[in-house]
Amino acid sequence: MGYIRNAVQIEAPVDEVFSLTNNVRTWPSLFTEYESSEVIEETDNSVTFRLTTRVDEDGNQWSWIAQRRTNHQRRSTYSERMPSSGPFERMEIRWWYDPIGEKSTIMTWEQEFTLKGNAPVTEEQATNYLNKQTKIQQAVIKERVEQMCGTAPDAETYYRGVIIGRYQSGSEAAIADAFRRSDESELPHLLGVKSRHVWVLGDIYLHLVEAKSSLPTIIRQYINHPLFKEIKAEVDTYVQPLSPELNPGVGREIYRWTNTSVSAIPQTAQSA
């Protein structure tokens, strides 16, 4: 018999976590591994539903019917998966939730299973796979539930900067491809870049970057990094400064607004 048990701490009240994670209809948006969840029959304390996974890297897609019973008083559930085309002869899953104070919850998942005789994997392989996937899904659910409950930890401070220039008409695909190759490499992680957005308007090129450092700092620190130089040189063949004295064309932020504060940025400040 295979067995795994994993727990995660979610920074949200236990009743909210219990409610949000036990609505099987929303599982495709709560988990990353499910494509659909179809409710077949439902009562106050139980639900029978069909889960279908997303297609995996090997082209496999699995679907099965499960019955799930809920103990609202204990804040726990018990699920049993019907035998399906997958490798499991039996799969029992128990979830339970324990509050830590008023604003934090420990969510625990326990799984017991046996494999079919003709299963293509061993019990050890299945255990290792389920253990890995459970930890991944619990981390995803933690993040999404905390976002929904408005209890996610404060995000790191990121700077925003804009590079402005003139670009060659018809070079949009080449510019996008250069950044795509860069963003698939280790470079964004090295530079601390969180996101980038590139727009064109007429012959004007606008490149917005969110990063852990300001754009002038990044350019100064990494101008001689081989990969940075390669991407910059490629983009520079299509994009030029508005005028020589504005190279590299980093705009200055003069005003910022949020829901909670309004601030003016001195004219001499570089874009953040």
Side-chain angles (χ1 to χ4, degrees), residues 129-146:
Y129 175 80
L130 289 172
N131 197 44
K132 176 183 176 181
Q133 287 300 113
T134 295
K135 291 177 180 178
I136 291 172
Q137 296 306 314
Q138 284 188 335
V140 169
I141 289 171
K142 169 184 168 67
E143 179 181 354
R144 293 179 178 179
V145 168
E146 288 177 352

Side-chain angles (χ1 to χ4, degrees), residues 16-34:
E16 291 188 43
V17 177
F18 183 68
S19 175
L20 288 170
T21 58
N22 282 291
N23 181 358
V24 300
R25 290 179 174 83
T26 67
W27 280 9
S29 61
L30 194 62
F31 292 76
T32 61
E33 59 186 343
Y34 298 135

Side-chain angles (χ1 to χ4, degrees), residues 97-109:
Y97 303 75
D98 296 295
I100 301 179
E102 296 181 355
K103 298 182 179 180
S104 190
T105 302
I106 297 293
M107 180 178 68
T108 305
W109 295 355

Side-chain angles (χ1 to χ4, degrees), residues 86-254:
F88 299 106
E89 180 68 37
R90 180 183 64 89
M91 170 72 80
E92 296 180 14
I93 305 173
R94 289 173 284 275
W95 292 12
W96 62 92
Y97 303 75
D98 296 295
I100 301 179
E102 296 181 355
K103 298 182 179 180
S104 190
T105 302
I106 297 293
M107 180 178 68
T108 305
W109 295 355
E110 188 177 67
Q111 293 174 257
E112 291 183 8
F113 65 89
T114 55
L115 293 170
K116 294 178 178 178
N118 61 349
V121 295
T122 66
E123 185 177 283
E124 181 181 4
Q125 289 173 325
T127 299
N128 291 339
Y129 175 80
L130 289 172
N131 197 44
K132 176 183 176 181
Q133 287 300 113
T134 295
K135 291 177 180 178
I136 291 172
Q137 296 306 314
Q138 284 188 335
V140 169
I141 289 171
K142 169 184 168 67
E143 179 181 354
R144 293 179 178 179
V145 168
E146 288 177 352
Q147 289 175 346
M148 287 186 284
C149 294
T151 57
D154 292 337
E156 294 183 76
T157 299
Y158 280 89
Y159 295 84
R160 293 182 178 90
V162 180
I163 297 174
I164 306 169
R166 298 189 188 278
Y167 83 103
Q168 298 177 20
S169 178
S171 65
E172 295 94 325
I175 294 171
D177 183 64
F179 283 123
R180 185 178 299 109
R181 286 185 280 107
S182 171
D183 294 335
E184 290 174 351
S185 73
E186 74 280 6
L187 194 59
H189 305 286
L190 179 65
L191 274 55
V193 172
K194 176 185 178 184
S195 70
R196 80 174 76 251
H197 303 268
V198 181
W199 292 278
V200 293
L201 176 65
D203 66 344
I204 299 298
Y205 163 95
L206 298 170
H207 179 185
L208 170 66
V209 177
E210 286 186 293
K212 293 181 180 180
S213 302
S214 67
L215 273 175
T217 298
I218 291 174
I219 294 170
R220 184 172 59 253
Q221 291 181 345
Y222 293 96
I223 190 65
N224 292 317
H225 187 280
L227 188 53
F228 185 91
K229 288 175 64 176
E230 177 185 336
I231 297 299
K232 184 177 185 303
E234 184 172 352
V235 173
D236 284 350
T237 62
Y238 306 110
V239 180
Q240 298 297 319
L242 291 175
S243 62
E245 65 271 16
L246 294 180
N247 189 38
V250 178
R252 291 185 296 111
E253 183 179 31
I254 63 169

